[in-house]
Amino acid sequence: MARPVALDHNFPKPVLAGVDRWLKEVEFHHIRDLDSRLAELQDHELVYELHDRGLRVLVTHNWKMENDARVVVAVHLRRFTLLTLRKAGDDMIFATGVLLRDIVPVIRSEVAKGQIFRARPSRIQPRPAYQILHDLARHTGTTADALINAHRPSN
């Protein structure tokens, strides 16, 4: 059975449309679609209201929620789960990718106590192939140039 998860407004609906075909454990609900008035609530009030509506998980870009004692108390008292995304910036596609990467482990680790998860997404970093060859060579007792010569095509 799919677990309902509330999302803030920063996750693009068209990107998430159809994800349920592959992500059967989660059912996403944008806060504004549940009730437009929810977007006007204070963060801690939102936690209480979502809980009262049967939603136990909120995913948000507003990582400052985890530093607000009122929110943390609400999460604790309602045994709520909050997933905050840090350093996703204004790149909503990137943030949605992080959401899709992290939501299932969050759902699976949900326990009968309040929890706050901090997703710290990282961007891919290029690494020169020669550096990787150097590392491989060091572990095998040879040199990067020897590896290149040993695996170079004959033509």
Side-chain angles (χ1 to χ4, degrees), residues 9-17 30 92-93 96:
H9 65 281
N10 291 306
F11 297 98
K13 292 178 192 178
V15 175
L16 289 171
H30 284 83
M92 297 307 126
I93 301 299
T96 302

Side-chain angles (χ1 to χ4, degrees), residues 11-140:
F11 297 98
K13 292 178 192 178
V15 175
L16 289 171
V19 167
D20 57 343
R21 178 177 172 193
W22 297 278
L23 197 60
K24 299 192 182 304
E25 295 177 67
V26 182
E27 183 180 285
F28 294 118
H29 299 276
H30 284 83
I31 291 171
R32 290 185 196 274
D33 291 345
L34 294 169
D35 185 334
S36 61
R37 296 171 295 181
L38 293 175
E40 306 305 319
L41 296 176
Q42 295 288 318
D43 293 336
H44 66 286
E45 295 171 331
L46 178 61
V47 170
Y48 289 122
E49 185 63 29
L50 289 173
H51 176 271
D52 291 347
R53 291 171 181 244
L55 287 106
R56 305 288 192 268
V57 181
L58 169 63
V59 183
T60 180
H61 286 243
N62 185 4
W63 58 268
K64 293 179 182 177
M65 287 177 74
E66 65 192 52
N67 296 324
D68 183 336
R70 298 173 303 169
V71 172
V72 177
V73 167
V75 166
H76 172 72
L77 292 176
R78 292 297 186 259
R79 298 180 180 140
F80 197 82
T81 298
L82 178 65
L83 171 59
T84 62
L85 302 181
R86 287 179 167 246
K87 299 183 181 179
D90 293 329
D91 187 341
M92 297 307 126
I93 301 299
F94 178 69
T96 302
V98 174
L99 164 69
L100 295 175
R101 178 195 72 189
D102 291 345
I103 193 61
V104 170
V106 167
I107 294 297
R108 287 182 180 163
S109 68
E110 193 175 3
V111 295
K113 61 181 176 180
Q115 303 182 99
I116 297 176
F117 292 85
R118 297 174 181 168
R120 290 189 170 97
S122 61
R123 304 270 180 184
I124 59 171
Q125 297 293 321
R127 188 161 175 232
Y130 189 81
Q131 180 64 48
I132 295 170
L133 283 171
H134 177 75
D135 293 345
L136 288 169
R138 188 177 62 231
H139 291 299
T140 59

